[in-house]
Amino acid sequence: MKLIRIQLLVLFSAVLMFNCGGKEEKKKEVFSYEKTNSQAENVSNSDDANVANVVITGNDLMQFSTKEIKVKTGQKVRLTLRHVGKLDANIMGHNFVLLKNGVDLVTFATAAAIERDNKYLPKDSQDIIAHTDLIGGGQVTTIEFDAPEPGTYEFLCSFPGHYAMMRGNFIVE
Ligand code: ZN
């Protein structure tokens, strides 16, 4: 129920901001949960509660739009990564990689950085819970996976050097 209230609050805030000066676009780039259906009255639909719609953006300044994502265990996570920059994937590629507990992020990122032919992911890696494709400016990619057991996991962009800024916590409650 707490999640649903947050969704409503975010929606309401967005509407308020839009009415007050058209800053809705900026607001939307900030990480947010989005409902499966666009109508607010469907918020209590039990199907929606089982799906955490996560939207995260990456830009040409090597930044994710959030450093923290929260979902609930048992939920299906529908995660959309949107590259809001203009640079090509060869120069400023972004992906979203969620690491298993206990995996050292720097060690993983260092191993990933040399895997250019494999889109900067170690081949047959056992360290990953889920990952998106590597995308460039203007591109969007969506993945679905089951939220793992409760805990705090780390995510990063595994493009060489990006992990220094593009990383955060994926919290499963
Ligand atoms: Zn990146």
Side-chain angles (χ1 to χ4, degrees), residues 143-162:
I143 54 169
E144 284 190 4
F145 58 96
D146 294 326
E149 60 187 55
T152 299
Y153 304 79
E154 287 186 291
F155 67 84
L156 74 152
C157 169
S158 67
F159 193 93
H162 287 197

Side-chain angles (χ1 to χ4, degrees), residues 119-132:
K119 296 185 175 181
Y120 301 112
L121 291 176
K123 290 182 187 70
D124 304 318
S125 176
Q126 302 299 304
D127 297 338
I128 299 171
I129 294 173
H131 70 87
T132 68

Side-chain angles (χ1 to χ4, degrees), residues 11-131:
L11 273 176
F12 192 57
S13 307
V15 168
L16 276 181
M17 290 191 74
F18 182 71
N19 287 341
C20 292
K23 291 193 173 169
E24 186 192 34
E25 283 310 310
K26 211 155 202 173
K27 179 80 180 173
K28 275 186 176 170
E29 285 178 19
V30 175
F31 156 80
S32 64
Y33 290 100
E34 288 184 0
K35 295 181 295 84
T36 306
N37 300 312
S38 57
Q39 297 305 307
E41 54 265 34
N42 289 338
V43 122
S44 59
N45 186 310
S46 60
D47 286 346
D48 285 351
N50 290 328
V51 178
N53 278 308
V54 178
V55 178
I56 181 169
T57 66
N59 62 22
D60 285 343
L61 299 174
M62 230 192 285
Q63 296 163 329
F64 275 142
S65 52
T66 184
K67 290 191 176 296
E68 186 175 290
I69 295 170
K70 273 188 192 171
V71 301
K72 289 184 165 59
T73 191
Q75 279 187 315
K76 183 178 286 294
V77 180
R78 189 174 296 142
L79 185 141
T80 298
L81 172 65
R82 182 173 286 125
H83 194 317
V84 296
K86 289 186 164 54
L87 298 175
D88 192 83
N90 292 322
I91 302 162
M92 186 55 69
H94 297 318
N95 61 10
F96 172 94
V97 182
L98 181 59
L99 298 178
K100 289 181 180 172
N101 256 342
V103 175
D104 183 71
L105 186 143
V106 175
T107 302
F108 176 88
T110 304
I114 58 170
E115 298 282 355
R116 188 176 179 188
D117 294 340
N118 200 42
K119 296 185 175 181
Y120 301 112
L121 291 176
K123 290 182 187 70
D124 304 318
S125 176
Q126 302 299 304
D127 297 338
I128 299 171
I129 294 173
H131 70 87

